[in-house]
Amino acid sequence: MKKYKKVILIILFVIAILIIIAGFVVGNMFYNLALNPTTDKSSVLNAPHNVGDNAADVDSSGDIEKTKSEEWFKNIGFEDLYIQTFDDLKLHAYSIQNTDQSNKYAIICHGYGGQGSLMTKSASRFYSMGFNVLLPDARGQGKSEGNYIGMGWHDRLDVVSWIDDILEKDSEAEIILYGVSMGGATVMMASGENLPENVKAIVEDCGYTSVWDEFSYQLKEIFNLPAFPFMNFSSAVTKLRAGYTLGEASALDQVVKSNTPMMFIHGGSDTFVPSLMFNEVYDAAKVPKEKLYVKDAGHGESSNIAGEMYWKKVEDFLYKYLD
């Protein structure tokens, strides 16, 4: 009888080990699909429920304004800036100094799979409002070093480093943060850090509540798989390979800690980051806040659909907190 029990225990142990190994294999597969910057993301970005949502490059609509802004970016003249991160990566950003010699700075954060140079439409708008513009390439993207996509979590600390870099050169700087999609989550995550008083306001457009929530949603929509156990294994792999868990990467938790006035924007037809997340982050904020809900806009399309009204509301909000 004892021998029989021992055999059963060995079999159960082997099965458990095989399940764990299989789980980590699957977790590693999902990690590579979502967070390895060198892998093809078309299965996510071109999934049926995401068709029409410009998730990777949310600032690159084919409209006339975008075409003009790309020409503006080529001709305006920019400087390539670099900083070193807390984990010894070399990050890149495009810096555009306003001809008005302004002390106002806009840090613009791009979306998933994008890069700073794609955010020309936003950059030209903030420039016309009188801001100097900084367009960082998030870690692992564009000209920045890194072997994983941070989904806003480690990027939030990179934003703080860019803020510090500005203040080293201009101690009187008034800084605003603006981000779309993953960039929106990035600036929300940064909002919960101990930001200097120079950071006057934050505008986020279609950011997600947390990486866990966003990936769980995409897992269900694309692969029809439940969060458990796939997200758990994926999160463990992410911790091993990128140094953070999908659960800790929470814009919602960070917004709760924020002391910076914030504007929240979302499209009512967004199927990449569901608008229900918009209500959660807005309700969680305990700071002076406003929201803009653009009923017919898909992911990252609010500025296209709402047009001048979008930028008027953004400018009016920001200048409430700028000198």
Side-chain angles (χ1 to χ4, degrees), residues 47-108:
H49 78 291
N50 291 332
V51 171
D53 286 332
N54 202 2
D57 176 10
V58 294
D59 199 23
S60 66
S61 63
D63 60 19
I64 295 173
E65 183 181 356
K66 178 60 181 177
T67 302
K68 288 181 177 178
S69 71
E70 288 172 344
E71 284 300 313
W72 168 85
F73 183 69
K74 289 177 185 176
N75 297 324
I76 192 67
F78 57 79
E79 180 184 359
D80 291 298
L81 297 185
Y82 294 90
I83 57 169
Q84 211 74 14
T85 67
F86 67 93
D87 51 353
D88 206 31
L89 294 177
K90 186 179 181 181
L91 300 189
H92 168 266
Y94 302 92
S95 173
I96 304 170
Q97 294 297 305
N98 201 292
T99 53
D100 290 340
Q101 297 184 325
S102 172
N103 73 327
K104 296 175 174 58
Y105 296 79
I107 301 177
I108 299 175

Side-chain angles (χ1 to χ4, degrees), residues 249-314:
S250 172
L252 190 64
D253 290 345
Q254 290 290 98
V255 163
V256 171
K257 299 187 292 182
S258 178
N259 295 312
T260 309
M262 202 173 310
M263 183 176 188
F264 300 84
I265 303 170
H266 217 96
S269 298
D270 190 338
T271 58
F272 195 82
V273 176
S275 56
L276 133 78
M277 294 189 186
F278 164 64
N279 295 321
E280 289 186 63
V281 290
Y282 177 81
D283 290 343
K286 309 303 179 189
V287 296
K289 59 186 177 180
E290 291 183 17
K291 62 180 174 180
L292 174 61
Y293 182 73
V294 184
K295 183 179 178 182
D296 297 324
H299 189 65
E301 294 180 342
S302 292
S303 64
N304 297 336
I305 300 299
E308 293 302 320
M309 183 269 283
Y310 176 102
W311 292 109
K312 180 69 165 58
K313 287 202 174 277
V314 167

Side-chain angles (χ1 to χ4, degrees), residues 33-315:
L33 174 64
L35 297 179
N36 186 334
T38 65
T39 58
D40 181 18
K41 303 289 185 290
S42 59
S43 61
V44 175
L45 301 178
N46 297 329
H49 78 291
N50 291 332
V51 171
D53 286 332
N54 202 2
D57 176 10
V58 294
D59 199 23
S60 66
S61 63
D63 60 19
I64 295 173
E65 183 181 356
K66 178 60 181 177
T67 302
K68 288 181 177 178
S69 71
E70 288 172 344
E71 284 300 313
W72 168 85
F73 183 69
K74 289 177 185 176
N75 297 324
I76 192 67
F78 57 79
E79 180 184 359
D80 291 298
L81 297 185
Y82 294 90
I83 57 169
Q84 211 74 14
T85 67
F86 67 93
D87 51 353
D88 206 31
L89 294 177
K90 186 179 181 181
L91 300 189
H92 168 266
Y94 302 92
S95 173
I96 304 170
Q97 294 297 305
N98 201 292
T99 53
D100 290 340
Q101 297 184 325
S102 172
N103 73 327
K104 296 175 174 58
Y105 296 79
I107 301 177
I108 299 175
C109 298
H110 65 76
Y112 178 79
Q115 57 189 43
S117 62
L118 297 175
M119 302 297 286
T120 58
K121 189 172 171 181
S122 302
S124 63
R125 285 286 186 166
F126 282 104
Y127 185 89
S128 69
M129 293 180 205
F131 289 90
N132 302 301
V133 176
L134 189 74
L135 302 171
D137 289 333
R139 54 178 52 215
Q141 297 170 86
K143 297 180 181 179
S144 287
E145 292 181 346
N147 59 8
Y148 65 88
I149 297 174
M151 297 303 296
W153 188 239
H154 287 163
D155 309 280
R156 84 195 192 281
L157 302 178
D158 300 334
V159 168
V160 173
S161 294
W162 284 117
I163 292 168
D164 291 342
D165 187 66
I166 290 172
L167 293 178
E168 282 180 15
K169 300 165 185 173
D170 184 355
S171 61
E172 301 301 314
E174 294 186 298
I175 301 169
I176 68 96
L177 308 180
Y178 173 84
V180 185
S181 190
M182 187 184 83
T186 299
V187 298
M188 284 193 285
M189 291 175 183
S191 77
E193 299 304 303
N194 186 24
L195 300 178
E197 292 183 359
N198 304 71
V199 180
K200 301 299 184 180
I202 297 171
V203 178
E204 78 83 21
D205 186 337
C206 63
Y208 37 81
T209 49
S210 72
V211 180
W212 181 282
D213 292 343
E214 177 61 11
F215 282 2
S216 296
Y217 169 76
Q218 293 292 341
L219 193 66
K220 177 66 176 174
E221 293 296 316
I222 298 173
F223 302 105
N224 199 28
L225 293 174
F228 179 83
F230 300 100
M231 285 293 297
N232 303 75
F233 283 116
S234 298
S235 186
V237 170
T238 302
K239 181 64 175 177
L240 290 171
R241 293 185 62 180
Y244 69 94
T245 67
L246 303 181
E248 73 179 305
S250 172
L252 190 64
D253 290 345
Q254 290 290 98
V255 163
V256 171
K257 299 187 292 182
S258 178
N259 295 312
T260 309
M262 202 173 310
M263 183 176 188
F264 300 84
I265 303 170
H266 217 96
S269 298
D270 190 338
T271 58
F272 195 82
V273 176
S275 56
L276 133 78
M277 294 189 186
F278 164 64
N279 295 321
E280 289 186 63
V281 290
Y282 177 81
D283 290 343
K286 309 303 179 189
V287 296
K289 59 186 177 180
E290 291 183 17
K291 62 180 174 180
L292 174 61
Y293 182 73
V294 184
K295 183 179 178 182
D296 297 324
H299 189 65
E301 294 180 342
S302 292
S303 64
N304 297 336
I305 300 299
E308 293 302 320
M309 183 269 283
Y310 176 102
W311 292 109
K312 180 69 165 58
K313 287 202 174 277
V314 167
E315 184 172 12

